[in-house]
Amino acid sequence: MKKNNNYEIDWIDFDLFVDGNAEKITEGSILYTTLHLDTVDDVYKLSDQNCQIKFKPKIISSDKGKTVTLTYKKDYIHVSGNIYKWLKSQNVTGEKNLLNLIVEFVNVLKSKDLISFSEEQFKNIKNGNFRVYRVDVKLDYIFASKQDALRYLNNVQMLGYFPYKAKQLYKNGCYFGMSSKTRWSLKYYHKGNELREKNQRFSIEPKIYEIAERMVRAECKILNAQLKDWNLMYASQWNDLEKIRRMFDDVFSKLKLPNVDKRNNILDIENKSDRKFITLYEEGCISDYYSRTMIHLKKKKILNEYGIDLNIKNEQRKLLK
């Protein structure tokens, strides 16, 4: 297994203090009023004192169909989405510098005539003088083969735990702390399977897809309250990449995989019947399922085919007691 030592930025929710083209970055307006309106003519009763106008968010597609959501707020624009994927059309690879990612994104929005900004506004963006409300940080594990990647993911699903984070399994991986609405949670999944499930298999380069097939992704979703506690609520606070690395080294290192070597040794045995026998034998309940004659024959077979002497394992277990 090869771990990508760069923690890369995935999803970001943040505010941009720029000038937006309301007609292009909104889906119209919503009017809220305390008045009861029966007809269109009643609109003339509205005033700043009894109504409020809000702009409907708009989903903006990239040239290759990836999307982000822009919410126009007059003084600023709130952005939500996977910025790297929107820019590069895939997120198998990534970008570790949050500010570089946002600056590139802002320049693309400007080139599409969706926003404009002054020199002062652009300087504030480059300096990171704006709030972030959610950031997803990913760490990729690259294995020699897809089979090795899926074995590791299965071990995380079956054995893995994080302190104080409830585990929830799903078909392509598992979550730790999924129910958290204000703090942070983790997700482990196979990247190649995710691309197939989302019908993105043929939308990326074959060489990149080959990497995804050998990849297990660990993804940490950090929400607003946790960003405040970790002093990461402003984009400028993401500039110290060494500090970010140390912080997330600590977060991801908390995954525990007890007895993983023992489980791998058993899973390496392809014959399911033999795997079952060894597991039951080591649990001390083999006589509940097999006759004495069958136990003798199976122990002999396992010693000859796998070099595993279950008699020695049994003696070691008695000594431990």
Side-chain angles (χ1 to χ4, degrees), residues 102-164:
I102 291 176
V103 167
E104 182 179 354
F105 174 71
V106 166
N107 282 323
V108 173
L109 290 185
K110 183 181 180 182
S111 71
K112 294 178 176 292
D113 196 31
L114 297 174
I115 65 170
S116 60
F117 44 78
S118 66
E119 289 186 13
E120 184 66 23
Q121 287 173 321
F122 191 52
K123 180 180 178 182
N124 283 328
I125 293 170
K126 290 194 293 185
N127 290 336
N129 297 330
F130 57 91
R131 281 279 276 116
V132 293
Y133 301 92
R134 169 187 165 183
V135 180
D136 290 5
V137 175
K138 67 183 180 72
L139 176 64
D140 295 329
Y141 298 89
I142 312 297
F143 294 81
S145 69
K146 177 181 179 179
Q147 182 179 5
D148 290 344
L150 292 174
R151 168 72 67 84
Y152 175 79
L153 180 62
N154 185 253
N155 283 335
V156 174
Q157 289 176 303
M158 297 298 104
L159 304 176
Y161 73 89
F162 265 85
Y164 312 109

Side-chain angles (χ1 to χ4, degrees), residues 79-320:
V79 182
S80 179
N82 192 317
I83 306 304
Y84 184 88
K85 184 187 287 187
W86 192 85
L87 290 168
K88 310 297 181 183
S89 301
Q90 53 84 17
N91 70 332
V92 176
T93 56
E95 168 60 59
K96 62 183 179 179
N97 191 305
L98 181 144
L99 269 181
N100 286 352
L101 198 56
I102 291 176
V103 167
E104 182 179 354
F105 174 71
V106 166
N107 282 323
V108 173
L109 290 185
K110 183 181 180 182
S111 71
K112 294 178 176 292
D113 196 31
L114 297 174
I115 65 170
S116 60
F117 44 78
S118 66
E119 289 186 13
E120 184 66 23
Q121 287 173 321
F122 191 52
K123 180 180 178 182
N124 283 328
I125 293 170
K126 290 194 293 185
N127 290 336
N129 297 330
F130 57 91
R131 281 279 276 116
V132 293
Y133 301 92
R134 169 187 165 183
V135 180
D136 290 5
V137 175
K138 67 183 180 72
L139 176 64
D140 295 329
Y141 298 89
I142 312 297
F143 294 81
S145 69
K146 177 181 179 179
Q147 182 179 5
D148 290 344
L150 292 174
R151 168 72 67 84
Y152 175 79
L153 180 62
N154 185 253
N155 283 335
V156 174
Q157 289 176 303
M158 297 298 104
L159 304 176
Y161 73 89
F162 265 85
Y164 312 109
K165 295 288 183 185
K167 180 166 66 177
Q168 183 170 337
L169 302 182
Y170 75 107
K171 183 178 179 181
N172 189 36
C174 63
Y175 293 90
F176 296 94
M178 181 183 179
S179 61
S180 177
K181 304 300 182 184
T182 60
R183 294 295 174 175
W184 61 283
S185 61
L186 294 112
K187 177 182 178 184
Y188 285 75
Y189 60 98
H190 183 260
K191 187 63 181 175
N193 285 347
E194 184 209 38
L195 291 173
R196 278 192 300 279
E197 289 168 2
K198 294 182 177 180
N199 296 319
Q200 296 174 358
R201 160 69 179 88
F202 298 103
S203 64
I204 62 174
E205 296 177 20
K207 290 171 65 175
I208 294 178
Y209 179 74
E210 190 275 331
I211 295 171
E213 284 283 78
R214 297 185 288 111
M215 177 188 294
V216 171
R217 173 159 296 173
E219 200 169 87
C220 182
K221 178 170 73 173
I222 313 122
L223 302 175
N224 189 40
Q226 195 66 57
L227 289 169
K228 290 180 180 179
D229 285 355
W230 285 351
N231 293 318
L232 294 174
M233 61 187 291
Y234 288 97
S236 58
Q237 294 171 316
W238 289 80
N239 258 347
D240 188 342
L241 298 184
E242 181 58 27
K243 172 188 171 184
I244 296 298
R245 186 191 64 77
R246 291 195 304 269
M247 179 178 294
F248 288 100
D249 272 349
D250 181 63
V251 170
F252 285 99
S253 69
K254 288 182 170 62
L255 172 68
K256 305 301 180 186
L257 291 172
N259 300 318
V260 66
D261 290 337
K262 176 182 175 181
R263 186 169 191 268
N264 279 334
N265 288 336
I266 293 175
L267 291 176
D268 285 340
I269 298 172
E270 294 183 1
N271 186 299
K272 292 183 179 180
S273 175
D274 292 345
R275 286 206 307 264
K276 177 183 175 182
F277 182 87
I278 293 170
T279 302
L280 291 173
Y281 194 92
E282 292 186 340
E283 292 300 322
C285 56
I286 193 67
S287 59
D288 295 334
Y289 297 90
Y290 294 87
S291 67
R292 293 179 61 184
T293 301
M294 183 57 69
I295 291 172
H296 173 74
L297 293 174
K298 291 286 283 187
K299 284 165 64 176
K300 185 176 179 181
K301 174 179 184 289
I302 287 167
L303 177 61
N304 290 334
E305 292 190 13
Y306 310 114
I308 299 174
D309 190 339
L310 292 175
N311 289 325
I312 293 177
K313 285 179 173 286
N314 191 41
E315 291 301 318
Q316 288 174 338
R317 186 168 61 250
K318 289 179 179 178
L319 288 174
L320 289 173

